[in-house]
Amino acid sequence: MEREHAAAVSIEGLRKTVTVGFRRRRVEILKGVDLAVREGETVGLLGPNGAGKTTTLKIALGLMRPSAGTARLGVAGLHEVGYLPENAYFYDYLSGRELLGLCARLFGLSRSARDERIVEALREVGLEEAAGTQLRKYSKGMLQRIGIAQALINDPRLILLDEPMTGLDPIGRVEVKRIIQRLREEGRTVLFNSHILADVGELCSHVAIMRSGEVVWRGPVEDAVPSGGGSLEDFFVQVVTEGAVEPESAESGSPGVTL
Amino acid sequence: MSRAFAIAANTFRETIRDRILLVILVFALAMIVASLWLASISLGQGARLMQDFGLVAVSGFGVIVAVFVSAGLVRKEIDKRTVFIIFSKPVGRGEFIAGKFLGLSATMAIVIFGMTVFLFLLVWAVAREPSGWLLLAGGFIYLQVLVVMAVTIFFSTFASPILAAVLGLCVFAAGQLSHNVLSLTQLGDSAALQGLSWVVFLVVPNFSAVSLAPVVVGEQVADWSTIGGWGGYLVAYAVIMLGLSWLVFRRKEF
């Protein structure tokens, strides 16, 4: 039971400022993000474009450095994390199996573990038959699924997905939703960004809403969808445009890895 | 280090599957074959001319391939955002740089030694007197190419691929000329010019001194301790440039 309540992601006071343009104008992308994701939760990170969702994930993964604050992963570092970037591009000269082999080697898996995990990951995303096909011949939906497979190759406890439904046709969306649903049922922690609120409402246990570099609301999906009527979309628009709802205070998690 | 080898294997696969490499290689082999024409008009110096011209072709094409491939090696991963896949896994920036370098080194080994062996067989078929030093000269060209690759990768960590390629070629050219420039300035009176030429001589890799072409064609006698020393110099230079690349790259955000 203890593990269920441990923080898988703990972000406190996260700030990021970048300089842009010839005159090196300073732009604050993140203005003090506080967010805690507990183990076993499936959290949808919502927000309009430019709210700072992707930057938050990148800092948590160490792809960017914070200007202030901390982003801690309550797992054993990147060894236990799977990540699917937004509009992911993979080495298109590789086959699906070769890509997974490369990713497994980057996680330091032994040859036998690699072979086992590649078969499992391909099965999990339903791409066994296309395993030997070069990625340049994959459809958008297949690429997204192989992207999820590479995120699962290390059998991670924490999975971060950046816009996993973007650009997919309805069938592709259903396939990806099924995978996320299964990850949730397996008790893995999933944090994903999305603009498709219906999917978030369907898949997530919790929602966090970002606006202008801050988390302005975080809570269970049920609290965002009033039983008396209304939808997650209405609630999201209300929070983003009016900011009328007080944010839930982020809880600090268990000791983890400071990135 | 196993992660660096995984990246190296992938880089090797990427470059070897690139058809432009095959096109350049075929063109280079055609240039080497063209040395037959030089041999036919050389009045008894056929083997010497073929080896001299052939080694220039091996070096020239080797450097061109190395510079243009290595200039885009790191930047392409950033532009195509495959770095997200790599660095969201427990991969260090140094492992990435080392892996990219090792992978391209393996490809260049095939390119350089393929061309050198082809030249050796051509000289043997035509003149029946290929020098065994020809193969060692190919080895030294390979070491020079590794240095040019390391220099270009260093430039590519902060410059665009085009600029990195131009700078890489400039360093190669300066390395070919630095010894002569130093000798020339020592003849003059300008202390400032002499000092500047010393600085350039020390900073850029000294390629003119490490060529084995004069040994191959019998103009110089080989000295193993000197050959070993220059080989060590080239390896050390490449390692230092890769270290500098890591210093720049480890600060990069994606």
Side-chain angles (χ1 to χ4, degrees), chain A residues 65 91 93 106 150, chain B residues 3 17 77 89 251 253:
Chain A
R65 287 185 299 277
Y91 303 99
Y93 51 87
L106 295 180
Q150 65 80 31
Chain B
R3 294 184 183 93
R17 288 180 186 179
E77 298 263 1
K89 298 173 175 56
R251 302 292 304 164
E253 294 185 292

Side-chain angles (χ1 to χ4, degrees), chain B:
Chain B
M1 202 59 193
S2 67
R3 294 184 183 93
F5 285 125
I7 292 168
N10 191 48
T11 304
F12 176 73
R13 197 155 26 195
E14 177 185 5
T15 49
I16 218 78
R17 288 180 186 179
D18 198 340
R19 286 186 188 155
I20 191 71
L21 184 70
L22 190 66
V23 171
I24 291 173
L25 194 58
V26 168
F27 194 69
L29 295 178
M31 286 291 288
I32 293 170
V33 171
S35 66
L36 286 172
W37 175 76
L38 279 177
S40 69
I41 58 167
S42 63
L43 300 174
Q45 295 291 307
R48 178 190 165 139
L49 260 175
M50 280 178 72
Q51 290 178 117
D52 220 355
F53 183 77
L55 284 174
V56 169
V58 171
S59 175
F61 281 99
V63 165
I64 287 170
V65 170
V67 162
F68 283 98
V69 176
S70 53
L73 213 55
V74 173
R75 175 61 62 172
K76 200 160 66 178
E77 298 263 1
I78 297 170
D79 290 345
K80 290 194 167 181
R81 293 178 296 171
T82 41
V83 281
F84 295 161
I85 301 294
I86 301 290
F87 292 123
S88 60
K89 298 173 175 56
V91 177
R93 303 288 171 96
E95 289 175 315
F96 178 76
I97 293 286
K100 298 304 283 183
F101 179 78
L102 289 173
L104 185 54
S105 301
T107 304
M108 291 312 298
I110 291 173
V111 170
I112 300 290
F113 290 111
M115 287 194 289
T116 306
V117 168
F118 181 76
L119 175 63
F120 183 87
L121 294 175
L122 197 67
V123 174
W124 181 78
V126 174
R128 303 275 168 188
E129 51 179 67
S131 165
W133 290 101
L134 187 64
L135 298 174
L136 190 62
F140 255 71
I141 289 173
Y142 179 62
L143 288 180
Q144 289 186 19
V145 163
L146 293 188
V147 171
V148 173
M149 275 166 47
V151 169
T152 310
I153 286 174
F154 166 68
F155 287 131
S156 76
T157 56
F158 57 85
S160 69
I162 296 290
L163 185 57
V166 169
L167 291 172
L169 287 173
C170 286
V171 168
F172 177 69
Q176 296 287 352
L177 299 172
S178 64
H179 197 76
N180 293 338
V181 171
L182 181 67
S183 304
L184 277 175
T185 53
Q186 299 309 310
L187 297 174
D189 296 329
S190 171
L193 210 55
Q194 287 178 359
L196 185 65
S197 62
W198 262 111
V199 171
V200 172
F201 180 73
L202 291 174
V203 171
V204 301
N206 186 357
F207 290 138
S208 56
V210 299
S211 172
L212 281 187
V215 176
V216 174
V217 295
E219 285 177 357
Q220 281 180 14
V221 178
D223 170 8
W224 281 106
S225 62
T226 307
I227 290 172
W230 282 121
Y233 163 78
L234 290 174
V235 171
Y237 200 99
V239 169
I240 289 168
M241 292 313 297
L242 290 175
L244 292 174
S245 306
W246 169 71
L247 282 177
V248 176
F249 196 65
R250 76 193 177 113
R251 302 292 304 164
K252 268 212 174 315
E253 294 185 292
F254 307 110

Side-chain angles (χ1 to χ4, degrees), chain A residues 136-173:
Chain A
R136 60 170 62 111
K137 293 174 185 166
Y138 275 32
S139 68
K140 174 84 181 166
M142 290 164 81
L143 282 174
Q144 203 71 333
R145 282 190 282 154
I146 201 71
I148 293 176
Q150 65 80 31
L152 300 177
I153 196 70
N154 55 330
D155 198 14
R157 280 165 59 195
L158 170 63
I159 299 143
L160 307 176
L161 307 171
D162 198 349
E163 305 283 1
M165 304 333 168
T166 301
L168 296 181
D169 62 19
I171 293 176
R173 254 179 72 191

